[in-house]
Amino acid sequence: MAKKAKKQQEKGAGGTPATVALTAAGVPYTVHSYDHDPSRPSYGEEAAEAMGVSPDRVFKTLVADVDGALTVAVVPVAGSLDLKALAAAVGGKRAAMADPALAERTTGYVRGGISPLGQRKRLPTVLDDSAPAHATICVSAGRRGLEVELSPGDLVGLTNATLAPIGRA
């Protein structure tokens, strides 16, 4: 089921926009791939299980609408997004999940494969403040069945993310 993780420094063809961005930035990362099962209800929990990684180290990327502006939220797959906390983190009043088709068009990724890295249009990003408790975390590499493992600090640096308590158990 899970393929052995391998260190990849993908360039050009074969890489996703996320891995191309990581390579261009010179950031160390590991790509984990697994066979995605479309019948699974949770992409993130499937990824954690397939990779044998604790769900608190695997983060899902969600796109929300905060006062009319799309915003990326990155939270552990083991919990959910606190929309009120996300709005507060970016100085907004109201947040709601973005229309999935708009999120896909704006980021350039499909739902279940949206990565916080290498998006078509750079959006404000908020990473749950639990991330720095781990040496590395996993986020989507831009395709269902493909995750990238990197340090939370590198993710913050590459996305210019704000750290805030936006996840809830």
Side-chain angles (χ1 to χ4, degrees), residues 5-6 22 25 34-35 37 46 55-56 68 76 78 86 89 95 100 108 120 122 136 146 169:
K6 58 184 175 174
L22 286 164
Y34 60 93
D35 294 325
D37 177 357
E46 175 192 24
D56 65 338
L86 176 64
R120 183 176 290 149
R122 188 172 224 183
T136 60
L146 196 66

Side-chain angles (χ1 to χ4, degrees), residues 59-63 72-75 77 112-117 119 139-140:
F59 283 64
K60 57 189 167 187
T61 305
L62 304 169
V63 181
V72 173
V74 186
V75 296
V77 301
I114 294 177
S115 177
L117 301 158
Q119 295 179 358
V139 296
S140 176

Side-chain angles (χ1 to χ4, degrees), residues 3 9 22-23 26 35 37 39 41 79 82 95 116 118 131 136 158 162:
K3 295 179 184 173
Q9 297 297 315
L22 286 164
T23 299
D35 294 325
D37 177 357
S39 69
D82 182 336
T136 60
L158 290 171
T162 299

Side-chain angles (χ1 to χ4, degrees), residues 14-164:
T16 65
T19 60
V20 169
L22 286 164
T23 299
V27 170
Y29 65 95
T30 303
V31 172
H32 299 270
S33 63
Y34 60 93
D35 294 325
H36 166 62
D37 177 357
S39 69
R40 294 287 300 261
S42 169
Y43 299 116
E45 288 175 10
E46 175 192 24
E49 186 179 304
M51 294 185 304
V53 174
S54 173
D56 65 338
R57 281 190 47 228
V58 179
F59 283 64
K60 57 189 167 187
T61 305
L62 304 169
V63 181
D65 179 318
V66 179
D67 296 337
L70 291 182
T71 303
V72 173
V74 186
V75 296
V77 301
S80 60
L81 172 62
D82 182 336
L83 288 165
K84 194 177 228 178
L86 176 64
V90 295
K93 293 182 181 186
R94 279 204 171 144
M97 293 307 298
D99 172 70
L102 178 59
E104 289 178 346
R105 276 194 314 274
T106 304
T107 64
Y109 293 116
V110 297
R111 197 170 67 113
I114 294 177
S115 177
L117 301 158
Q119 295 179 358
R120 183 176 290 149
K121 178 180 179 190
R122 188 172 224 183
L123 299 172
T125 302
V126 181
L127 176 61
D128 186 67
D129 67 354
S130 66
H134 308 285
T136 60
I137 60 172
C138 297
V139 296
S140 176
R143 188 165 70 221
R144 294 175 189 154
L146 196 66
E147 295 281 311
V148 65
E149 182 176 353
L150 73 164
S151 79
D154 285 337
L155 182 61
V156 168
L158 290 171
T159 60
N160 198 27
T162 299
L163 283 171

